């Protein structure tokens, strides 16, 4: 029967009373003991078509009215839902029906209001368009053991034409556990929805729904229960007429049409919220299953709409979501192989440059590297640089070494074995191979793989000269006459154009790479010429024909914005920022002398910010030079913070490596330049004449050992900004 229509005045007066009652009830909700029984929470938004049926199913429960309450919270836009519920309450005063209002739209917000009002020892959630069978509450309560547990009951689907589906996938999973009690960490899938779970109210006292989530807030809410040690789920023994009836319609979340908003954005937001829940042990594995379920939505969407990967990338930047699991999206899609002895998440320049190179190549790859935990700190945020193009990352457990041949060949053999196994899993051979060295283990692995799989296209990059150090002296690396080195020497002899003198492990690796690689990459023309000048003309010509000059890749625009930094720049001065090792007698010495020679008014307009690892030494020397009010010393920033700080500076200072007198040309291009040039911040270069850096487009220039040129550059900087 259709309930009588209330007048607008009657409705308004009743709403006002209930609003006051909500706050009164909330103020008095700190019960020393909960009442035995169940609090049923029903959020209602525009539920006028279904709310009466929902409440009548709760009215018709076999449980006595003193053992349960029903809390309905109306939220958002008003319709006749309140009038219908209010009429039902008036008609059945014995029904413990409590009605409240919440002005904020959202089921999560409504449930949070209700959670602050519950009075009974157990809580269960029922949606305003669902139903429950007559034995539902009784069977749930009877199944609750003495120790706090979650009780799970059957769930049936109600179709739009009225048919009941008891064989739905979810109910079949529940039925398989009929009468059993299992750890909640064994059944994380049960946490993915609000329905059919009775939970002790004590377990929910400190939990609230995330009101910023448009969907998935129920999953995140219940996932917090993974942290309760020893918590079990009791699957009630089958009782007739005791199911939760879930109404399915075209508006149901499970039937949402595919869209970037729902399948990607909301799933990523939910995934991020799950990551905010601190868990360990079995709970971490259970949380990972929930995360994977969210990512599966994203994966299926991107398979159909691959062009929206760029939108996902932009979303991750907006959210500062640096550890999104792209590897789950990329699973099994690797086309290329990368050997990078030092790789992410280790905070090392070579690892960062390799990551940028992978991103620039834009090819999904597997990466095999060495365990550098003994030598380098980790920075998990670095994965953001290239995770979009990574399938699997594999670390080889070997003692890291720069020069030890035995340790490097051990790494290389293990790396190739891992790559071989990955090809078996993928069911195909890698099409491309990329390796990058100053760490020579990368190129040794590349050579061994190329020998075994000659069809692979091997691109080998030299970040700096391998055989010679920064002073131009030959690097020392003993080369024992073992089976491996003898075999590799023979390959160089048989495939190279001329006989070479190979005395060290560095000699062997550099020559072997030049012989076997399909493409050789050098970061600048000087480096190419310097390295090839050390070989006989025939050998140099062979290498030159497959050589490419390509600078270190610059980060993507997104990389500069994903992690915000607070570098401490002075808004009243021109901020010049230097990031790197601090040497007062090398590189920065000229800058300091120039600062001392500025006039008083000029010194008050400029600030030099030094970000370095040895802040104690830097602070002491700055103080001794009387520059404490002009030069400011900061801790070295993690890489992504450094990138963001670079965009906030007025000028970025980069200095050349000072060339040894024994070197006829400077083969070094500072890797910082590639980071600076994409920041859109002005760059000041302190140069070695004829260096690769000296040929770049720089906003300001000075020269090593030439204080007047540094002073001139400072005055140009001041005139530009003042």
């Amino acid at each position: 029967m259709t309930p009588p229509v209330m007048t607008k005045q009657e409705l308004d007066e009743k709403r006002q009373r209930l609003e006051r009652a909500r706050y009164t009830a909330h103020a008095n909700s700190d019960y020393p003991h909960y009442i035995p029984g169940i609090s049923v929470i029903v959020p209602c938004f525009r539920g006028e078509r279904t709310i009466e049926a929902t409440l009548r199913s709760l009215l018709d429960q076999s449980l006595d009215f003193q053992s349960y309450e029903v809390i309905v919270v109306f939220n958002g836009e008003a319709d006749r839902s309140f009038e219908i519920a209010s009429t039902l309450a008036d008609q059945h005063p014995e029904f413990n029906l409590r009605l409240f209002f919440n002005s904020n739209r959202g089921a999560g917000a409504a449930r949070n209001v209700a959670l602050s009002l519950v009075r009974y020892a157990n809580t269960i959630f029922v949606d305003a368009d669902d139903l429950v069978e007559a034995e539902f509450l009784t069977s749930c309560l009877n199944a609750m053991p003495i120790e706090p547990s979650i009780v799970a009951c059957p769930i049936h689907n109600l179709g739009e034409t009225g048919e009941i589906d008891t064989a739905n996938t979810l109910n079949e999973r529940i039925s398989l556990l009929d009468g059993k009690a299992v750890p909640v960490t064994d059944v994380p899938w049960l946490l993915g929805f609000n329905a059919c779970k009775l939970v002790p109210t004590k377990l929910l006292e400190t939990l609230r729904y995330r009101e910023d989530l448009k969907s998935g807030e129920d999953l995140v809410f219940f996932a917090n229960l993974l942290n309760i040690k020893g918590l079990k789920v009791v699957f009630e023994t089958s009782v007739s007429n005791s199911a939760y009836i879930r109404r399915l319609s075209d508006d149901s979340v499970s039937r949402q049409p595919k869209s970037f908003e729902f399948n990607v954005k909301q799933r990523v937001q939910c995934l991020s919220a799950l990551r905010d829940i601190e868990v360990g042990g079995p709970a971490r594995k259970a949380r990972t299953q929930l995360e994977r379920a969210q990512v599966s939505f994203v994966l299926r969407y991107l398979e159909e709409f691959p062009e929206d990967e760029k939108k996902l990338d932009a979303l991750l930047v907006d959210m500062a979501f640096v550890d999104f699991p792209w590897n789950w999206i990329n699973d099994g899609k690797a086309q290329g192989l990368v050997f990078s002895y030092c790789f992410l998440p280790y905070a090392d320049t070579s690892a960062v440059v390799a990551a940028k190179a992978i991103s620039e190549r834009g090819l999904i790859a597997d990466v095999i590297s060495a365990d550098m935990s003994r030598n380098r700190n980790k920075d998990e945020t670095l994965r953001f640089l290239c995770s979009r193009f990574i399938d699997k990352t594999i670390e080889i457990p070997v003692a890291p070494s720069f020069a030890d041949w035995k340790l490097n060949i051990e790494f290389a053999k293990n790396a190739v074995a891992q790559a071989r196994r990955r090809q078996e899993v993928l069911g195909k051979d890698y099409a491309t191979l990329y390796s990058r060295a100053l760490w020579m283990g990368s190129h040794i692995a590349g050579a061994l793989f190329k020998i075994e799989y000659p069809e692979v296209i091997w691109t080998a990059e030299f970040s700096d000269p391998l055989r010679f150090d920064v002073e131009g002296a030959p690097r020392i690396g003993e080369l024992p006459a073992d089976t491996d080195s003898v075999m590799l020497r023979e390959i160089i002899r048989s495939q190279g154009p001329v006989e070479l003198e190979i005395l060290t492990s560095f000699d062997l690796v550099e020559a072997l790479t030049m012989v076997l690689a399909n493409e050789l990459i050098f970061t600048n023309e000087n480096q190419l010429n310097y390295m090839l000048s050390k070989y006989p003309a025939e050998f140099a010509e062979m290498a030159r024909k497959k050589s490419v000059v390509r600078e270190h890749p610059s980060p993507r625009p997104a990389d500069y914005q994903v992690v915000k930094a607070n570098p401490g720049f002075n808004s009243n001065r021109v901020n010049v920022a230097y990031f790197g090792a601090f040497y007062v007698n090398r590189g920065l010495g000229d800058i300091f002398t120039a600062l001392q020679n500025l006039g008083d008014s000029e010194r008050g307009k400029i600030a030099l910010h030094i970000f370095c690892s040895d802040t104690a030494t830097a602070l002491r020397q700055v103080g001794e030079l009387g520059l404490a009010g002009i030069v400011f010393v900061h801790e070295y920033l993690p890489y992504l913070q450094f990138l963001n700080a670079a965009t906030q500076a007025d000028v970025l200072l980069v200095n050349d490596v000072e060339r040894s007198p024994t070197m006829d040309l400077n083969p070094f291009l500072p890797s910082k330049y590639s980071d600076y040039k994409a920041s859109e911040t002005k760059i000041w270069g302190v140069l070695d004449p004829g260096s690769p850096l000296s040929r770049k487009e720089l906003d300001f220039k000075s020269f090593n050992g030439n204080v007047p040129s540094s002073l001139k550059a400072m005055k140009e900087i001041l005139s530009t900004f003042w």
Side-chain angles (χ1 to χ4, degrees):
M1 185 177 75
T2 304
V5 178
M6 294 185 184
T7 66
K8 183 178 185 303
Q9 182 178 353
E10 289 173 327
L11 285 171
D12 289 344
E13 289 176 353
K14 200 159 192 177
R15 286 192 182 100
Q16 291 172 7
R17 291 198 303 272
L18 291 172
E19 191 74 24
R20 289 193 297 271
R22 167 189 161 188
Y23 291 107
T24 302
H26 179 68
N28 296 308
S29 62
D30 188 19
Y31 301 108
H33 299 288
Y34 291 106
I35 303 169
I38 301 175
S39 290
V40 182
I41 292 177
V42 182
C44 183
F45 171 68
R46 299 179 63 181
E48 63 183 10
R49 291 190 299 108
T50 59
I51 187 64
E52 182 175 9
T54 300
L55 294 180
R56 285 196 179 278
S57 73
L58 289 165
L59 172 66
D60 294 339
Q61 291 296 293
S62 61
L63 192 64
D64 63 89
F65 289 121
Q66 289 73 35
S67 296
Y68 74 101
E69 66 175 348
V70 177
I71 304 172
V72 182
V73 179
F74 302 93
N75 60 290
E77 182 181 335
D79 65 354
R80 292 186 60 249
S81 300
F82 167 69
E83 180 182 350
I84 293 168
S86 182
T87 298
L88 186 65
D90 291 342
Q91 291 173 345
H92 298 277
E94 73 282 8
F95 186 23
N96 194 359
L97 179 60
R98 305 169 65 200
L99 308 179
F100 300 95
F101 282 96
N102 183 47
S103 57
N104 294 334
R105 179 175 175 176
R111 293 186 186 106
N112 286 339
V113 169
L115 282 167
S116 68
L117 302 171
V118 296
R119 298 182 296 193
Y120 284 76
N122 301 283
T123 298
I124 202 162
F125 298 92
V126 175
D127 285 347
D129 55 354
D130 291 342
L131 307 169
V132 292
E133 293 182 333
E135 297 296 328
F136 175 72
L137 294 181
T138 300
S139 61
C140 284
L141 198 57
N142 288 341
M144 180 65 73
I146 295 175
E147 65 276 9
S149 303
I150 299 171
V151 172
C153 66
I155 182 167
H156 299 164
N157 288 343
L158 174 63
E160 291 189 77
T161 58
E163 73 281 3
I164 296 290
D165 174 20
T166 63
N168 64 80
T169 303
L170 181 55
N171 197 50
E172 287 179 345
R173 297 181 79 173
I174 293 173
S175 299
L176 288 173
L177 295 166
D178 188 21
K180 296 181 180 178
V182 300
V184 67
T185 52
D186 287 357
V187 287
W189 51 267
L190 190 70
L191 307 179
F193 48 91
N194 286 296
C196 72
K197 293 186 292 294
L198 183 68
V199 185
T201 303
K202 278 285 185 184
L203 301 184
L204 305 178
E205 285 180 333
T206 61
L207 302 184
R208 290 298 180 266
Y209 285 80
R210 288 278 297 262
E211 297 183 21
D212 58 323
L213 297 176
K214 292 183 178 180
S215 64
E217 75 282 357
D218 44 3
L219 165 65
V220 176
F221 175 80
F222 283 106
N224 285 278
L225 298 177
L226 292 170
N227 277 319
I228 300 176
K229 190 175 181 180
L231 180 63
K232 291 189 175 182
V233 177
V234 175
F235 291 84
E236 64 175 53
T237 303
S238 294
V239 176
S240 62
N241 206 27
S242 64
Y244 185 105
I245 309 296
R246 180 172 57 173
R247 191 189 301 270
L248 295 183
S249 68
D250 290 339
D251 295 331
S252 300
V253 170
S254 59
R255 295 187 178 184
Q256 285 271 355
K258 285 184 181 178
S259 67
F260 184 86
E261 171 67 27
F262 178 77
N263 294 80
V264 180
K265 183 176 181 179
Q266 292 180 25
R267 304 286 62 76
V268 171
Q269 290 169 338
C270 185
L271 174 64
S272 178
L274 284 170
R275 291 279 177 92
D276 290 339
I277 302 172
E278 295 291 336
V279 293
R284 178 177 291 276
K285 182 178 179 181
R287 190 190 70 177
T288 298
Q289 291 184 46
L290 298 176
E291 293 172 2
R292 279 191 172 272
Q294 296 301 298
V295 174
S296 67
F297 280 85
V298 180
L299 175 59
R300 289 194 294 271
Y301 178 86
L302 292 179
E303 286 175 344
E304 189 170 344
F305 306 100
E307 65 276 9
D308 279 354
E309 278 196 11
K310 292 181 179 179
K311 290 173 65 176
L312 172 56
D313 219 23
L315 172 66
L316 298 177
V317 174
D318 290 341
M319 295 177 60
F321 197 158
V322 295
D323 59 343
F324 178 77
W326 275 105
N327 58 309
W328 295 350
I329 302 290
N330 297 334
D331 189 24
K333 298 178 182 177
Q335 298 172 282
L337 172 65
V338 174
F339 290 125
S340 179
Y341 192 90
C342 185
F343 194 64
L344 313 183
Y346 296 105
D348 181 272
T349 299
S350 62
V352 168
V353 176
K356 291 189 292 181
I358 290 170
S359 181
E360 183 181 64
R361 289 164 70 86
L363 186 72
I364 295 176
D366 291 332
V367 181
I368 301 179
S369 59
D371 178 0
M372 302 291 292
S373 56
R374 302 183 192 181
N375 301 66
R376 297 290 186 272
N377 295 322
K378 287 186 176 183
D379 179 0
E380 296 293 341
T381 65
L382 289 172
R383 297 188 191 276
F384 183 80
L385 294 171
C386 65
S387 59
R388 181 178 174 182
F389 301 105
I390 299 294
D391 185 347
K392 292 289 181 292
T393 53
I394 301 170
E395 278 191 7
I396 305 300
V398 62
S401 173
F402 183 73
D404 188 289
W405 170 255
K406 290 183 178 179
L407 290 176
N408 275 275
I409 195 70
E410 178 188 351
F411 162 80
K413 287 181 175 180
N414 285 328
V416 170
Q418 289 287 350
R420 191 184 306 119
R421 283 192 283 271
R422 276 293 294 158
Q423 287 187 150
E424 292 173 0
V425 172
L426 292 168
K428 61 182 180 181
D429 288 350
Y430 293 111
T432 65
L433 166 63
Y434 168 76
S435 64
R436 184 180 184 280
L438 192 58
W439 297 86
M440 66 177 174
S442 303
H443 285 342
I444 299 174
L448 294 183
F449 191 83
K450 178 69 174 178
I451 292 167
E452 186 170 346
Y453 299 95
E455 297 302 315
V456 73
I457 305 301
W458 179 20
T459 297
E461 180 174 356
F462 293 101
S463 62
D464 286 319
L466 194 59
R467 297 168 60 202
F468 298 93
D469 65 18
V470 72
E471 301 292 335
R475 284 200 170 95
I476 298 173
E478 183 182 356
L479 182 63
D482 58 15
T483 304
D484 298 305
S485 67
V486 170
M487 182 266 290
L488 297 175
R489 281 174 188 260
E490 178 57 26
I491 289 175
I492 296 171
R493 189 195 66 76
S494 63
Q495 297 192 30
V498 294
E499 191 80 24
L500 297 179
E501 183 179 44
I502 296 176
L503 302 176
T504 70
S505 57
F506 293 101
D507 291 341
L508 174 64
V509 175
E510 187 175 290
L512 182 67
T513 303
M514 290 184 176
V515 167
L516 292 181
N518 299 90
E519 181 182 52
L520 302 171
I521 296 179
F522 300 86
T523 61
N524 63 84
E525 195 72 33
N526 279 13
Q527 179 198 357
L528 185 155
N529 292 331
Y530 176 81
M531 291 178 66
L532 296 189
S533 70
K534 306 300 180 180
Y535 290 98
E538 298 93 332
F539 190 93
E541 181 60 23
M542 177 272 300
R544 190 178 297 275
K545 287 180 179 178
K546 52 183 174 181
S547 295
V548 175
V549 173
R550 187 178 68 202
E551 295 176 9
H552 294 139
S554 290
R556 304 164 300 170
D559 298 331
Y560 289 86
Q561 301 302 326
V562 69
V563 178
K564 303 301 180 184
N566 183 15
F569 294 148
N570 190 322
S571 60
N572 297 318
R573 297 192 186 188
V574 179
N575 294 284
V576 179
Y578 171 84
F579 299 87
F582 176 83
Y583 302 104
V584 72
N585 60 346
R586 192 174 76 194
L588 293 182
D590 297 342
I591 309 298
F592 289 159
T593 303
L595 284 171
Q596 291 172 322
N597 283 277
L598 284 176
D600 290 341
S601 63
E602 293 173 317
R603 294 173 69 178
K605 295 177 180 178
I606 195 168
L608 173 61
H609 297 267
I610 297 173
F611 295 83
C612 62
S613 54
D614 188 2
T615 55
T617 299
L619 284 168
R620 184 180 68 253
Q621 295 190 10
V622 167
E624 290 172 354
L625 293 170
L627 295 173
I630 306 172
V631 179
F632 302 88
V633 178
H634 312 268
E635 292 286 347
Y636 201 79
L637 294 175
Y639 184 74
L640 291 180
Q641 288 189 44
F642 144 67
L643 291 183
N644 185 253
T647 66
Q648 299 180 49
D650 297 307
V651 179
L652 297 169
L653 178 64
V654 58
N655 59 320
D656 259 328
V657 173
E658 289 194 40
R659 180 172 26 136
S660 167
T662 62
M663 302 178 77
D664 55 354
L665 78 166
N666 188 329
F668 304 106
L669 177 63
S671 62
K672 282 286 187 297
Y673 173 73
S674 65
D675 297 327
Y676 286 177
K677 74 176 182 178
S679 70
E680 299 186 357
T681 300
K682 293 184 181 300
I683 303 174
W684 173 11
V686 182
L687 308 172
D688 175 18
S691 71
L693 184 61
S694 69
R695 301 191 188 102
K696 300 303 176 185
E697 291 186 9
L698 301 170
D699 300 280
F700 310 100
K701 294 182 179 181
S702 61
F703 296 91
N704 282 324
N706 188 328
V707 174
S709 70
S710 294
L711 186 60
K712 179 175 179 289
M714 283 185 193
K715 290 180 179 293
E716 289 175 353
I717 289 170
L718 287 171
S719 66
T720 299
F721 289 93
W722 283 87

